[in-house]
Amino acid sequence: MTEIIAGPSMSPPEFLAVLSAVALVVARWLPPSARPRVTIVAGAALALSVIVLSAVGIRWQLLPVLAGAAAALPFALSPLLRLHLRRPGRPARRARWWLALPGSAACLGLVAAGPVAAWAFPVPVFPEPSGDFAVGTRVVQWTDPHRPETFTADPDDRRTVVVQLWYPAQQGPAGARRAQYLGRTEQEARTVSEALARGAGLPGFLVDGVPRARTHAVFNAPVAGGDERFPVVLFSPGSGGVRTQNTAWAEELASHGYLVAALDHPYDSAAVVLDDGRTIRAATASTGDRDADEEPAAGWTAVRAADLGFVLTQLEGLDRGGIADPLTGRLNTGRVAVTGHSLGGAAALQAARQDSRFAAVIDLDGYPHGPASPALHQPVLALTQAVTPSTDPRYLPRLAEALAGDTATTYRLTVAGAAHLTFMDGPLYLPPVPSLVGSLGRAGSPRVVAATTLAFLDATLRHAPGDPAAVLSRYGSLGVHRPDGLGCGLSGCGAG
């Protein structure tokens, strides 16, 4: 994955508003000859920026800037008014500096709060995919006629999942409109963003920049030419997460020739917008009591695992051409990995136990719920955050139990500097607080997740030469278990 070229956290009209506000505050301290011109120009520029921003939508981060400008404006204008109204021959009077200084400092503090807030909660800038393919995306909705919906009391209700596909696409025109983040439309993106914020206990306005973002994929772009068949990667998000939560990762994989299918799990994902416009909100919630949550979490994991198996069946049918589709004949459904983050990682492990069609598994910091048997027979990559005193002491033993007895090679990598949200898009738009998103940075987090998972997928699905351990060990403490008994412990082949 290429380095993210971080865009500015504020748009040009927002920058203009900030500069204008600063000029209005500073104008009071300028020489009398310069003060009128600066005040008039700054006031006009501020008015222009507000007009433009009102048309596109003013972000909350700009409100303290406007408040500071509004507070400074009377003091910037008063010398002009006094100059206009004072009698000829009378000297101009100016407020004593020690009375004006606290007010100016307070106004500058308000203005400065805007850029700081925009930096902490930016509109996410997605990394440019580094592969040879452009990326297309589309959303499909599938209903399993054989599986009742267990979250409702309606006996005729059947389980429905919404799936977003990212796939290798033909290079489109330079001006092609890129896909909205979090939804097919801006309204869907805002619905999902507000639901995610509510699930995290945050007011929705804090992340109002997220649904404004554009990704690098193009909706319904033509599939890449040629006859290459794309290995398939299924993805299940975290508890309360949504299908788009790992968009940067999905686009990177698609640019390298993979088909990524990410699921929304209705009644578990924060908000799922169906084709008919209905929105299904999460009906699952943890109590915070780890022991009490174990049984319901195992049940939710089982539902997700069944969803993953069903989606693979649908993709197989799509590839065979039961319904005419641009992806017919282009999917290598004999080479499929099942992946997930957090609770989705547990579902990926469970799906692989139940379904031998999955040839590889990636668990992105997921605590394994449900039974640890039968033993796995697929290679597994488990990425975990750095262990801290707050880490559930049962996590690593439970993960070791889940991987024990695997008849294929397993890799367990504790990523240096990672937190739980490192393994999703969160670092791109959340405050860079290490306990929240890790210490890898907005550029480093998606790069590490992409590099490690691509090395594993290339080795297991494409049988690329080389040992993925050589790549994985660059990013943290690596433990490898091989069925022939040859391997290394956490202290044996890691970066430390």
Side-chain angles (χ1 to χ4, degrees):
M1 179 177 286
T2 57
E3 189 76 22
I4 297 175
I5 301 175
S9 57
M10 304 192 87
S11 67
E14 290 172 333
F15 270 121
L16 180 60
V18 172
L19 292 176
S20 302
V22 171
L24 286 174
V25 176
V26 173
R28 187 252 174 257
W29 301 93
L30 295 177
S33 60
R35 205 178 311 149
R37 290 193 298 271
V38 171
T39 300
I40 293 171
V41 171
L46 180 65
L48 176 63
S49 64
V50 170
I51 291 171
V52 173
L53 290 169
S54 297
V56 299
I58 296 179
R59 293 198 295 157
W60 68 269
Q61 290 92 333
L62 200 66
L63 296 181
V65 176
L66 298 179
L73 189 59
F75 299 98
L77 290 176
S78 60
L80 301 183
L81 297 176
R82 285 198 301 268
L83 180 65
H84 179 72
L85 296 175
R86 72 182 174 89
R87 296 174 183 176
R90 293 188 63 181
R93 291 190 301 172
R94 192 175 187 180
R96 295 175 180 176
W97 70 266
W98 50 270
L99 291 175
L101 184 60
S104 295
C107 290
L108 284 176
L110 280 171
V111 174
V116 171
W119 169 79
F121 294 96
V123 175
V125 177
F126 285 85
E128 185 80 34
S130 66
D132 295 332
F133 294 100
V135 180
T137 189
R138 53 189 276 210
V139 178
V140 295
Q141 180 175 304
W142 288 318
T143 298
D144 187 347
H146 307 295
R147 194 154 51 109
E149 177 53 79
T150 56
F151 285 97
T152 67
D154 183 355
D156 297 323
D157 197 4
R158 293 293 177 264
R159 182 67 173 168
T160 296
V161 292
V162 177
V163 183
Q164 185 151 351
L165 308 178
W166 287 267
Y167 55 88
Q170 298 177 27
Q171 195 68 46
R177 187 170 176 80
R178 297 179 298 163
Q180 184 96 30
Y181 183 48
L182 293 185
R184 288 159 285 192
T185 65
E186 184 174 349
Q187 181 56 49
E188 180 180 356
R190 292 198 175 280
T191 297
V192 172
S193 176
E194 290 167 4
L196 288 171
R198 192 162 47 247
L202 298 174
F205 76 86
L206 282 181
V207 289
D208 71 344
V210 179
R212 298 170 184 256
R214 293 280 171 177
T215 70
H216 290 284
V218 174
F219 262 116
N220 299 314
V223 179
D227 56 3
E228 179 181 352
R229 298 174 73 91
F230 312 126
V232 176
V233 180
L234 271 64
F235 176 78
S236 177
S239 178
V242 293
R243 66 178 189 265
T244 50
Q245 69 163 59
N246 280 57
T247 290
W249 174 79
E251 291 186 336
E252 178 70 1
L253 265 59
S255 79
H256 284 268
Y258 290 89
L259 181 286
V260 180
L263 284 66
D264 267 332
H265 301 280
Y267 303 99
D268 192 341
S269 293
V272 182
V273 179
L274 301 180
D275 288 345
D276 62 8
R278 287 183 298 137
T279 298
I280 298 178
R281 302 189 182 276
T284 60
S286 299
T287 65
D289 184 323
R290 291 166 177 168
D291 293 326
D293 287 339
E294 178 58 34
E295 183 175 347
W300 305 333
T301 300
V303 172
R304 286 166 166 257
D307 289 346
L308 289 162
F310 167 66
V311 169
L312 178 53
T313 299
Q314 296 302 107
L315 290 172
E316 289 175 333
L318 183 151
D319 182 61
R320 288 194 299 268
I323 299 176
D325 191 278
L327 287 169
T328 296
R330 300 302 303 277
L331 306 184
N332 190 339
T333 54
R335 296 184 178 182
V336 182
V338 60
T339 71
H341 172 245
S342 195
L343 186 66
L349 291 168
Q350 197 64 18
R353 283 196 180 88
Q354 299 170 357
D355 197 331
S356 61
R357 294 177 298 171
F358 294 115
V361 187
I362 297 177
D363 174 11
L364 300 176
D365 206 30
Y367 181 103
H369 295 285
S373 61
L376 289 160
H377 299 287
Q378 300 95 332
V380 177
L381 170 63
L383 300 182
T384 71
Q385 62 180 303
V387 177
T388 68
S390 63
T391 302
D392 187 341
R394 301 172 302 176
Y395 175 30
L396 293 183
R398 188 64 178 268
L399 182 59
E401 179 188 8
L403 302 181
D406 195 333
T407 58
T409 301
T410 62
Y411 305 87
R412 197 182 83 196
L413 176 66
T414 301
V415 179
H420 189 57
L421 300 186
T422 296
F423 303 102
M424 54 167 301
D425 293 334
L428 297 177
Y429 57 81
L430 293 174
V433 178
S435 61
L436 182 67
V437 296
S439 57
L440 298 174
R442 286 179 172 146
S445 296
R447 185 175 64 245
V448 168
V449 177
T452 52
T453 53
L454 267 173
F456 175 76
L457 291 170
D458 286 346
T460 54
L461 298 188
R462 287 190 163 130
H463 308 299
D467 186 351
V471 174
L472 298 174
S473 59
R474 300 172 194 166
Y475 297 101
S477 299
L478 177 66
V480 181
H481 169 75
R482 304 184 190 277
D484 57 11
L486 299 176
C488 59
L490 286 175
S491 60
C493 55

